[in-house]
Amino acid sequence: MPDILRWHAQLSGAGVRATRKRVQVLEVLIAEPRPITARQLHAELLNRGEPIGLTTVYRAVSSLVDAGLVHAFTQAGEATYRVCGPTRHHHLICRSCGLVLEQTAEPRTDGFEIEAVYGVCAPCARRPPSEQ
């Protein structure tokens, strides 16, 4: 059973009720180093033996995004999700493997605040072109 008490304060502070399903979704997202889709979240929860519907996963992730605990990305035309830190930041996103890193420095360019920077991470850059 997920540790609802562990996340209760953080979820409550973000204005989200700490339901079992939301905590389960949050715990899967925390364990994932890369953004994942709602379908992948759903499959992982089912693999863990948790009975949950895909619609419930979408609702849970939506409430976590609205609360600012999870960030939604679009990769290959599909929404993906990742837990984000509480401080103001932007994202460095690898176009090759999908890795997302948070950068806390606040770069500004000609009055624009940068939210995401796309590039290639060091491990992907070291791979031969045939493997990318």
Side-chain angles (χ1 to χ4, degrees), residues 3-4 10 12 23 35 40 43-44 54 60 62 64 67-68 88-89 104 109:
D3 186 1
I4 291 176
Q10 189 173 2
S12 294
V23 170
Q40 291 169 318
E44 177 58 28
L54 183 57
S62 177
L64 295 170
R88 188 178 179 124
H89 62 273
T104 56
T109 304

Side-chain angles (χ1 to χ4, degrees), residues 53-77:
L54 183 57
T55 300
T56 301
V57 170
Y58 275 108
R59 286 183 186 142
V61 81
S62 177
S63 66
L64 295 170
V65 168
D66 290 346
L69 298 172
V70 170
H71 188 86
F73 297 90
T74 301
Q75 293 181 339

Side-chain angles (χ1 to χ4, degrees), residues 34-36 73-80 93-94 97-100 118:
R34 288 173 172 72
I36 62 174
F73 297 90
T74 301
Q75 293 181 339
E78 188 170 13
T80 59
I93 305 168
C94 179
C97 71
L99 177 68
V100 176
Y118 291 84

